[in-house]
């Protein structure tokens, strides 16, 4: 079947070559393992430093969404996580004004810097979620927003003249706040997570965990995990994306202790001669960063210190690619698996394929 | 409707009240890359025997297997080899592409073409992967050329026209780093003149060679100082010679020893510094963000895709695609029609031919039949004749027999008569 485009000439000089219909994308891979005892230092490992310098220069984007009913402490938690006033709290509870009629999406961006690393942090708040009397389909605006960000990125990517760095507004992480009822998940929780766990990384957290004792906490967590499993909801880190055994063991441990029961606070108190973030109650001070009191520190280490980059990568390599594939399939009407321009691209001319020797 | 409010369009800088911990981000990123490994692809362009393989061996401190090429190649061929090197926890997939036969032919007009085509082919492969619906870019084995080392012959005069032409063709597709090969054949005073001549020729011909980046403070200084020494005059050697009380890579001559890693003797150390230890990542980035993007842009424009209004991009791509697809299908249909027509015509022709042949055969058959009939008649006539003759003969035979029996009878009678007479006479 002729591709309808002109055949390209093959040089007489290349008579030696076997003209291939398509050049092999990979160079004939005979990776010959070189004796690791090299005769001397080459300097290949400096690429790590080079890469680190480059990334520090360009900076990072991180977009985190918080979803949950009003009053669960979303803004406080985000402020505690990033140790700054990234989220403006709903100051007063005025029923007439403050509850939006529909779910709103509020995205606020800040630039924070630490240790020479610049991060553009965007916190996406969803006031109104779960607050109406009838909450049917209240996750739809959220799903729509997330897909819109994927769409924006796709549009940029498909451009002929592309930006050097496509601005990334895709939601990398969605913290879902579970009400600490102590019983089980609410139908709204299940519905939301069922719909959204396929498009975004969901990290469920148990809010206001200072209302539960240790036993209640662990029982509740187990029940929640069970329910999520029964309903086929995969929260981040998803089992199917574990790359190797090391990843799996590390992530298994984390999955076992999720959802993290957290307490947030932006007030500092003096405890044992140290200034700590905490909540003061008549019966004691709950230290936010004390692992015996709540699991905030675990959440923070998990999201920021170890898995931040992974959250972004899973969003980019998996969720975004899924969206893109679906989008191209739907609009192009092409059979899945075929290149978008598969039948239009000319056959790559018979190029001198690197001969493997 | 969706109500999205974006507050704080101009981003505020916030100060942190404590240690958050995202300063580990670069480490997180680097760890991911380390576990995947890095790719680096070098293209060596230069005449046969100029020392490309030796230099690679020297740069990477190892002996890559290779047989030296002959000078009888009919054209320029690209030979690529991949190796896996490891240093501490960094794994590097190194690919070295060699131009075999470059500069050997009598007519070198087309020498640059295989090189350009190879580079384009690698871009094309990446583009194809990027345009797929189901793609896996994050574990794609990148074969695009990150650095092109152009080996200049140490004539001491100026660049050859082949060099200028080739470099001009390559400068928008790859990062070119020109080097003077076999620099131990040039004396120090000549070297400086040679280098200036080369650089001015490159500038006057508008050849864009790779610029070592000077935008980042940590590397700006070293890159700036090194740039002054371009093109690097290198000497390669894997042989070791005892110098003082150490073994060092060197070339031994009756008049002295050229030490490869001695900066007074040659610029090998500078090349290694620039190519590997300082700018390897930048070379990779430039290849991706500049050369590849240029290729992609040209390729897509060539195929008729255009960026239209901002709010219809994937659609415009889709529309153009649909239009092209219809056009293509239309052409396909037309071709199909043509083929069908031709086929029908051919069938008709063949049918006519066959009919002719059939007629002939029929005629032949009739002829044969007639001949056969005639022969048969002849045979029957003859048969009749023969029967008649036989009959006649039988008749004659019967008549003869009758006569004979009559004769016999009469004879017998006569004999009897005679006998009787005799007998009578006896008595």
């Amino acid at each position: 079947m002729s591709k309808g485009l002109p055949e390209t000439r093959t040089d007489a000089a290349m008579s030696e070559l076997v003209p291939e219909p398509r050049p092999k994308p990979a160079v004939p891979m005979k990776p010959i393992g070189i004796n690791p005892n090299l005769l001397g230092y080459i300097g290949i490992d400096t690429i790590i430093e080079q890469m680190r310098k480059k990334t520090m220069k360009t900076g990072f984007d991180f977009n985190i969404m918080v979803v949950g009913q009003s009053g669960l402490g979303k803004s406080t938690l985000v402020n505690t996580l990033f140790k700054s006033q990234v989220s403006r709290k709903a100051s007063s509870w005025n029923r007439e004004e403050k509850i939006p009629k529909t779910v709103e999406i509020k995205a606020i961006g800040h630039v924070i810097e630490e240790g020479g690393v610049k991060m553009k942090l965007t916190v996406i708040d969803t006031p109104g979620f779960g607050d109406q009397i009838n909450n049917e389909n209240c996750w739809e605006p959220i799903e729509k927003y997330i897909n819109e960000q994927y769409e924006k990125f796709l549009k940029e990517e498909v451009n002929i003249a592309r930006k050097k760095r496509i601005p990334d507004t895709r939601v990398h992480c969605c913290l879902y706040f579970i009400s600490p009822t102590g019983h089980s998940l609410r139908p709204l929780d299940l519905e939301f997570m069922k719909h959204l766990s396929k498009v975004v990384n969901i990290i469920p957290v148990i809010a206001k965990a200072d209302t539960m004792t240790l036993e209640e906490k662990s029982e509740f967590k187990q029940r929640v995990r069970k329910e999520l499993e029964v309903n086929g909801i995969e929260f981040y880190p998803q089992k199917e994306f574990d790359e190797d055994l090391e990843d799996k063991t590390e992530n298994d441990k984390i999955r076992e202790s999720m959802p993290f029961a957290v307490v947030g606070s932006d007030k500092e108190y003096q405890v044992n001669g140290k200034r700590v973030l905490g909540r003061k109650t008549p019966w004691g001070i709950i230290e936010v960063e004390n692992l015996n009191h709540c699991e905030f520190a675990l959440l923070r280490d998990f999201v920021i210190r170890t898995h931040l980059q992974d959250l972004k990568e899973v969003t980019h390599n998996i969720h975004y690619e899924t969206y893109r594939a679906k989008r191209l399939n739907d609009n192009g009407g092409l059979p899945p698996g075929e290149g978008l321009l598969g039948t239009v691209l000319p056959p790559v001319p018979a190029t001198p394929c690197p001969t493997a020797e | 409707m969706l109500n999205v409010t974006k507050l704080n369009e101009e981003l505020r800088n916030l100060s942190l009240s404590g240690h958050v911990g995202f300063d580990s981000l670069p480490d997180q990123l680097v760890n991911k890359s380390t576990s995947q490994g890095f790719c680096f692809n070098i293209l060596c362009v230069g005449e046969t025997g100029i020392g490309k393989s030796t230099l690679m061996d020297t740069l990477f401190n190892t002996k890559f297997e290779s047989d030296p090429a002959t000078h009888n190649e009919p054209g320029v061929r690209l030979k690529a080899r991949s190796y896996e090197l490891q240093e501490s926890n960094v794994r590097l997939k190194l690919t070295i592409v060699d131009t075999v036969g470059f500069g050997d032919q009598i007519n070198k007009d087309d020498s640059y073409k295989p090189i350009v085509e190879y580079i384009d082919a690698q871009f094309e492969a990446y583009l194809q992967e990027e345009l797929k619906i189901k793609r896996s870019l994050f574990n794609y084995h990148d074969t695009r050329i990150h650095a092109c080392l152009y080996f200049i012959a140490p004539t001491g005069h100026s660049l050859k026209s082949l060099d200028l032409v080739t470099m001009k063709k390559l400068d928008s597709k790859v990062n070119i780093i020109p080097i003077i090969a076999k620099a131990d054949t040039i004396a120090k005073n000549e070297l400086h003149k040679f280098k200036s001549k080369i650089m001015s020729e490159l500038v006057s011909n508008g050849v864009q060679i790779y610029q070592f980046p000077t935008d980042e403070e940590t590397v700006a200084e070293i890159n700036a100082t090194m740039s002054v020494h371009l093109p690097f005059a290198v000497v390669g050697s894997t042989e070791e010679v005892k110098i003082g009380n150490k073994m060092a890579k060197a070339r031994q001559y009756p008049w002295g020893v050229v030490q490869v890693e001695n900066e007074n003797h040659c610029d090998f150390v500078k090349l290694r510094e620039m190519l590997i230890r300082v700018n390897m990542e930048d070379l990779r980035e430039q290849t991706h963000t500049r050369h590849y993007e240029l290729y992609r842009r040209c390729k897509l424009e060539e195929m008729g895709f255009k960026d239209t209004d901002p709010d219809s991009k994937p659609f415009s791509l889709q529309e153009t695609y649909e239009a092209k697809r219809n056009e293509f299908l239309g052409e396909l249909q037309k071709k199909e029609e043509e083929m069908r027509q031709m086929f029908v015509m051919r069938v008709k022709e063949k049918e006519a031919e066959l009919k002719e042949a059939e007629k002939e055969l029929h005629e032949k058959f009739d002829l044969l039949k007639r001949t056969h009939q005639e022969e048969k008649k002849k045979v029957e006539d003859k048969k009749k004749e023969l029967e008649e003759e036989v009959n006649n003969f039988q008749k004659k035979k019967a008549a003869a027999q009758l006569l004979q029996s009559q004769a016999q009878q009469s004879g017998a009678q006569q004999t009897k008569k005679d006998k009787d007479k005799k007998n009578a006479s006896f008595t």
Side-chain angles (χ1 to χ4, degrees), chain B residues 159-187:
Chain B
L159 284 172
K160 298 189 180 155
S161 35
L162 174 65
D163 294 337
L164 278 169
V165 166
T166 311
M167 279 201 266
K168 196 89 179 78
K169 293 278 178 195
L170 294 178
D171 68 357
S172 58
K173 295 194 175 283
V174 74
N175 300 314
I176 299 184
I177 301 176
I179 58 181
I180 301 172
K182 298 200 169 177
D184 51 352
T185 57
I186 311 184

Side-chain angles (χ1 to χ4, degrees), chain A residues 40 42 44 50 52 54-55 105 111 114 157 159-160 162 304-305 309-310 321 324 331 334, chain B residues 20-21 27-29 32 61 87 132 135 276-277 280-282 285 293 296 313 318 321:
Chain A
I42 304 172
I44 300 174
Q50 297 175 33
R52 188 180 286 136
K54 270 206 187 280
T55 50
I105 313 272
V111 174
E114 191 177 63
E157 199 188 23
N159 257 341
I160 306 275
R162 300 199 281 211
I304 301 178
R305 293 184 190 175
Q309 183 61 27
D310 189 58
E321 288 293 321
R324 176 182 176 273
N331 267 340
L334 293 162
Chain B
V20 177
D27 288 318
Q28 292 183 34
L29 183 81
K32 262 277 150 68
N61 268 336
E87 216 168 53
K132 277 205 193 131
R135 59 188 191 180
I276 301 175
R277 296 187 192 173
M280 189 151 77
E281 183 58 24
D282 186 66
E285 194 184 294
E293 285 297 314
R296 176 180 175 275
K313 231 147 270 140
Q318 184 214 346
Y321 168 72

Side-chain angles (χ1 to χ4, degrees), chain B residues 73-87:
Chain B
E73 301 280 340
V76 179
R77 220 170 18 106
L78 277 90
K79 195 159 73 171
R81 278 200 246 265
S82 295
Y83 306 93
E84 271 215 27
L85 305 175
Q86 183 159 355
E87 216 168 53

Side-chain angles (χ1 to χ4, degrees), chain B residues 138-154:
Chain B
F138 55 92
N139 56 7
Y140 176 79
H141 175 61
D142 193 359
T143 55
R144 300 171 295 183
I145 301 289
H146 301 122
C148 170
L149 291 179
Y150 196 93
F151 288 69
I152 299 170

Side-chain angles (χ1 to χ4, degrees), chain B residues 99-240:
Chain B
T99 50
V100 179
F102 189 78
D104 277 335
Q105 297 77 33
I106 294 174
N107 180 359
K108 298 185 262 239
D109 277 341
D110 294 338
S111 291
Y112 70 87
K113 286 189 189 151
I115 306 175
V116 169
E117 283 174 3
Y118 178 81
I119 296 174
D120 278 347
Q122 308 318 306
F123 284 147
E124 184 64 35
Y126 190 88
L127 181 65
Q128 298 268 21
E129 181 66 31
E130 200 186 21
L131 291 175
K132 277 205 193 131
I133 292 191
K134 268 195 131 171
R135 59 188 191 180
S136 55
L137 279 176
F138 55 92
N139 56 7
Y140 176 79
H141 175 61
D142 193 359
T143 55
R144 300 171 295 183
I145 301 289
H146 301 122
C148 170
L149 291 179
Y150 196 93
F151 288 69
I152 299 170
T155 58
H157 301 308
S158 61
L159 284 172
K160 298 189 180 155
S161 35
L162 174 65
D163 294 337
L164 278 169
V165 166
T166 311
M167 279 201 266
K168 196 89 179 78
K169 293 278 178 195
L170 294 178
D171 68 357
S172 58
K173 295 194 175 283
V174 74
N175 300 314
I176 299 184
I177 301 176
I179 58 181
I180 301 172
K182 298 200 169 177
D184 51 352
T185 57
I186 311 184
K188 213 163 183 161
N189 52 339
E190 297 170 342
L191 186 62
H192 187 69
K193 251 197 317 183
F194 189 33
K195 280 191 185 184
S196 324
K197 189 82 180 23
I198 293 176
M199 290 312 277
S200 63
E201 276 196 327
L202 288 175
V203 167
S204 57
N205 280 279
V207 174
Q208 307 261 11
I209 59 172
Y210 174 69
Q211 302 294 321
F212 300 124
T214 48
D215 48 0
E216 211 223 314
E217 326 84 49
T218 45
V219 294
E221 202 190 311
I222 188 170
N223 276 340
T225 22
M226 293 291 188
S227 297
V228 166
H229 294 273
L230 279 173
F232 296 130
V234 293
V235 173
S237 171
T238 45
E239 312 270 308
E240 294 206 326

